[in-house]
Amino acid sequence: MAKLKIVGGRPITMDEAIELRQTVFGSAASPPRGEWTRTGFTFGPANQEYPYGLRTPRNATRGMQSVLQAHIIKQFIFDNKPREKSVPLEELLKPTEAEQALSLYTAMSDILWNIGEKTKAIVALPGEASHIPHSHVYFQDNVTEKLYFFEFTKLDDLQIFMKRYLPYFTENPGPGTLLYLYSAVLTRGMENMRNDLDAPKGAHLMGPHEEGSLNVITLLLTGRATPYLHNGVVYVGDEDHYAVPQFGILSRGAIGLLVWEGENEAMRSASRMPGSRLKTPATPVWVSCCCGHYGVLFNSNRELLRNYHAEKRFELHYYTCAGCYLSMTVDNRGQDEGGGDTGDQEGDRKRDDMVSTPLERLIHTKWMDAKITYHGALPASLNF
């Protein structure tokens, strides 16, 4: 599908370009990480394995792509599901090329609309000419200085626009992921972004993380780029300082987040552990961050998180944007058996932790004592 020439829009100014680059990457005087200017949103072929899945190399865009992937899976399983008959999961996850494109621009629109509090969204697209010269305060990246901004106040108009200009986001190699990240940041607003990050002056959205920052994940999932994953507002202080608020997750969303950061105790603070609003979303679809590697966990039963009995034993599926997939059975029935010595149970749990895969440890953050049985061998290319 050919890219259409951009019509309309407002060109970016020097001040906006510098502020945008500083907010996202920390500096306008040095180039951004190169993967953002050469990674687009691309599906696998519709006639091959896992046609519902985005494919991306292992780089800093993968976290963001995993959020889009979670929304796409939610659409295919729950939003598009015929209500008059039962359709097998494998059939729901076999989209055509047209359905792939529809799911992508719909997910992109819905996320931006949520970030804009369902009142507005801003989309950034590049023109052909640069509006800003290269200088000691601004290092050209061949994208930011060419941007035009388009603002929308109706979701339907936003979806039509995203459909029309989707090739700008799917071109690969191309800057599609950067354009979408910029659109999310612009929709949230620079001042709101700085307040969300709640960090000293100079803090920015990106970090050194190989597959992307959790701040990007919370921005796309919740509409706020908060580094805090706990429920609600927590006041933090001591006898020498006034208590200050840390704004965590303010409401339950359609898609959840599970995090396990390994044995790095420095990262396992209470504010970095997802609260119940992230662990128990409206639909059984979660973005997962396992030792810094992102993926998507999902189940096809809408009632899974609403029915205690449904959680006793169920199938769980895991997909990463590397094109890796595995399925497993999660069995929680052992929790109901009771009995036994508490010390013995604790010892068994520690022994289980020693032999568990990182993915199992991540799942145990939601279902603590679950027995997990994989279906088939673990893919050799699976990153945990």
Side-chain angles (χ1 to χ4, degrees):
M1 187 176 177
K3 290 195 298 184
L4 298 174
K5 187 175 181 180
I6 292 174
V7 178
R10 178 180 66 79
I12 193 170
T13 66
M14 168 72 89
D15 289 343
E16 288 172 332
I18 291 174
E19 187 176 25
L20 185 58
R21 282 265 293 273
Q22 287 176 340
T23 301
V24 175
F25 296 107
S27 173
S30 57
R33 292 174 64 165
E35 58 260 44
W36 287 98
T37 61
R38 59 175 184 265
T39 307
F41 295 99
T42 56
F43 282 95
N47 59 352
Q48 294 184 18
E49 209 171 27
Y50 318 131
Y52 60 88
L54 295 172
R55 307 294 170 86
T56 182
R58 185 179 172 190
N59 61 32
T61 72
R62 186 171 291 182
M64 183 175 72
Q65 299 225 30
S66 296
V67 178
L68 267 293
Q69 181 67 73
H71 277 266
I72 289 166
I73 288 173
K74 171 183 167 289
Q75 281 185 53
F76 287 144
I77 296 177
F78 299 109
D79 300 347
N80 303 338
K81 188 174 183 178
R83 297 187 180 277
E84 65 275 7
K85 60 181 180 178
S86 177
V87 179
L89 178 62
E90 54 269 22
E91 292 300 317
L92 293 172
L93 296 178
K94 281 186 178 178
T96 63
E97 285 188 15
E99 289 169 336
Q100 287 177 335
L102 171 63
S103 69
L104 181 56
Y105 73 72
T106 301
M108 295 172 80
S109 301
D110 288 347
I111 291 171
L112 290 180
W113 195 242
N114 183 57
I115 294 172
E117 299 179 347
K118 296 181 170 56
T119 59
K120 70 163 189 175
I122 296 174
V123 179
L125 291 181
E128 296 178 357
S130 172
H131 311 301
I132 302 161
H134 188 85
S135 68
H136 69 284
V137 295
Y138 180 81
F139 191 107
Q140 288 187 334
D141 58 29
N142 205 36
V143 178
T144 310
E145 61 272 7
K146 297 180 178 181
L147 291 180
Y148 287 86
F149 297 157
F150 301 82
E151 185 165 345
F152 301 90
T153 56
K154 293 182 179 179
L155 177 58
D156 288 347
D157 293 341
L158 173 62
Q159 290 177 338
I160 292 169
F161 183 87
M162 296 300 285
K163 178 181 180 181
R164 179 181 179 86
Y165 292 107
L166 188 62
Y168 281 86
F169 297 96
T170 57
E171 181 183 26
N172 202 24
T177 50
L178 180 60
L179 297 175
Y180 191 66
L181 181 62
Y182 277 168
S183 298
V185 170
L186 291 164
T187 297
R188 180 60 181 153
M190 300 301 180
E191 185 175 353
N192 286 334
M193 288 292 300
R194 287 190 289 270
N195 292 335
D196 290 347
L197 292 170
D198 189 26
K201 188 176 181 180
H204 55 279
L205 187 62
M206 285 297 152
H209 315 284
E210 186 174 8
E211 295 190 9
S213 165
L214 273 173
N215 295 334
V216 176
I217 307 303
T218 56
L219 173 63
L220 299 184
L221 278 182
T222 72
R224 298 171 56 255
T226 176
Y228 308 118
L229 306 182
H230 54 68
N231 287 357
V233 183
V234 173
Y235 288 85
V236 178
D238 55 37
E239 58 186 17
D240 298 321
H241 301 87
Y242 288 110
V244 294
Q246 287 184 350
F247 290 88
I249 307 304
L250 303 182
S251 62
R252 193 181 311 277
I255 291 170
L257 174 66
L258 298 178
V259 177
W260 190 71
E261 298 187 285
E263 303 300 338
N264 186 349
E265 293 295 335
M267 302 296 287
R268 294 171 66 183
S269 64
S271 63
R272 297 274 296 184
M273 300 304 293
S276 61
R277 288 173 180 165
L278 286 175
K279 288 184 178 181
T280 311
T283 56
V285 181
W286 297 264
V287 175
S288 65
C289 180
C290 187
C291 301
H293 302 298
Y294 290 98
V296 180
L297 287 160
F298 59 97
N299 173 274
S300 59
N301 180 9
R302 187 187 291 272
E303 300 300 315
L304 177 67
L305 302 177
R306 305 174 188 174
N307 186 333
Y308 169 75
H309 296 289
E311 283 191 273
K312 286 188 176 181
R313 189 175 186 274
F314 59 93
E315 301 299 301
L316 197 60
H317 307 270
Y318 180 68
Y319 178 81
T320 77
C321 291
C324 291
Y325 165 85
L326 62 89
S327 63
M328 66 204 83
T329 298
V330 178
D331 192 338
N332 289 297
R333 290 175 296 182
Q335 297 181 19
D336 300 328
E337 293 174 0
D341 181 79
T342 304
D344 290 343
Q345 291 177 354
E346 188 66 27
D348 290 343
R349 184 179 300 166
K350 288 181 178 179
R351 283 191 292 274
D352 288 344
D353 283 348
M354 291 175 65
V355 299
S356 295
T357 66
L359 182 59
E360 289 176 63
R361 301 285 291 275
L362 174 114
I363 294 170
H364 285 155
T365 66
K366 167 66 177 169
W367 296 282
M368 183 179 296
D369 296 314
K371 179 181 178 182
I372 299 165
T373 305
Y374 294 112
H375 303 164
L378 297 181
S381 58
L382 185 67
N383 286 319
F384 291 118

